Amino acid sequence: MKTTTTTASSSPLVRRAAERGHADHGWLDSRHTFSFGDYYDPAQLGFRSLRVINDDRVAAGQGFGTHPHRDMEIFSYVLEGALAHRDSLGNARTLRPGQVQLMSAGRGVTHSEFNPSASETAHFLQIWIQPRERGLVPSYTEWHPAAGPADARKILLISPDGRDGSAVIHQDADVYRLRLKAGESVTHELRPGRGAWLQVAAGGAVFNGTELAAGDGASTETPGQLTFTATRPLEALFFDLK
């Protein structure tokens, strides 16, 4: 029997970088894809289980002091500089570009995120995903690029089952990193009943015929083959969500 692949025909819905919320606290410059803190837009409350995408730049020697969370899966993807993490579970890590930390706040955890550099800004994406249930036991996991697949065009960072060395999330969500040279393409098959979100961290891409630049996000819930082609050297996060 021959298997056929359908192509998702509808254009993705785009959330442009310039339309995001903005908070400038001096030590922190943050762009909010969805409603967060003092920024509220009833049309931008999240996408499926995806609740927060903050594009954060933290000044040298500054950071988020110890504060609590609960019932949320929170991860950071470092783009530039370094990020020092500490939490009430006893974890203390400093992450570098391309690395991921994922904290399941569960029934309650406290943590801090600090830029340890005396001169460089830390730039990272802060992501919150709603867990499949409340009151989970708090946990912490990381993803670091291995020597072999570090330059892979599409690589799994986060999954519910930890396959392929990915960090573990308590939600039916797969998170991939896309890293493409200009002109390169990758595809993804979106199954019926699921939704996809692409967040461009750097560079530019065409997502099923729609051009995106750094800071742009785009979503679709049309099943079929999704195609991403880099117009400039691309770094992006791609979410496949129940």
Side-chain angles (χ1 to χ4, degrees), residues 35-202:
S35 295
F36 185 86
D38 292 333
Y39 168 66
Y40 177 74
D41 181 343
Q44 301 294 339
L45 299 178
F47 176 74
R48 293 184 172 238
S49 59
L50 182 57
R51 291 292 180 264
V52 171
I53 302 178
N54 287 350
D55 190 340
D56 288 344
R57 287 175 168 82
V58 177
Q62 300 294 316
F64 302 86
T66 302
H67 58 284
H69 288 288
R70 63 178 301 132
D71 295 318
M72 196 64 68
E73 307 289 291
I74 302 172
F75 78 88
S76 300
Y77 180 79
V78 181
L79 294 164
E80 299 173 282
L83 189 66
H85 168 94
R86 290 184 179 273
D87 61 44
S88 54
L89 303 176
N91 299 293
R93 302 283 193 275
T94 298
L95 297 185
R96 305 293 176 180
Q99 298 178 342
V100 171
Q101 61 176 19
L102 170 60
M103 183 179 66
S104 178
R107 57 184 177 233
V109 69
T110 61
H111 76 123
S112 64
E113 309 292 336
F114 187 74
N115 178 1
S117 173
S119 59
E120 296 182 351
T121 297
H123 181 198
F124 66 101
L125 297 180
Q126 178 187 172
I127 316 287
W128 295 13
I129 294 178
Q130 187 175 1
R132 62 175 178 263
E133 60 184 285
R134 298 173 64 88
L136 295 168
V137 175
S139 60
Y140 177 90
T141 182
E142 294 180 4
W143 180 87
H144 291 234
D151 294 325
R153 296 180 184 181
K154 175 185 170 188
I155 191 166
L156 183 66
L157 305 181
I158 293 170
S159 71
D161 56 6
R163 66 188 186 278
D164 300 329
S166 55
V168 177
I169 193 169
H170 297 97
Q171 179 54 270
D172 188 354
D174 290 335
V175 184
Y176 298 85
R177 186 203 68 197
L178 306 185
R179 185 174 285 172
L180 307 175
K181 298 176 183 177
E184 290 184 336
S185 297
V186 294
T187 61
H188 183 85
E189 189 70 19
L190 186 67
R191 303 193 305 276
R194 300 186 70 84
W197 184 282
L198 180 73
Q199 187 66 34
V200 178

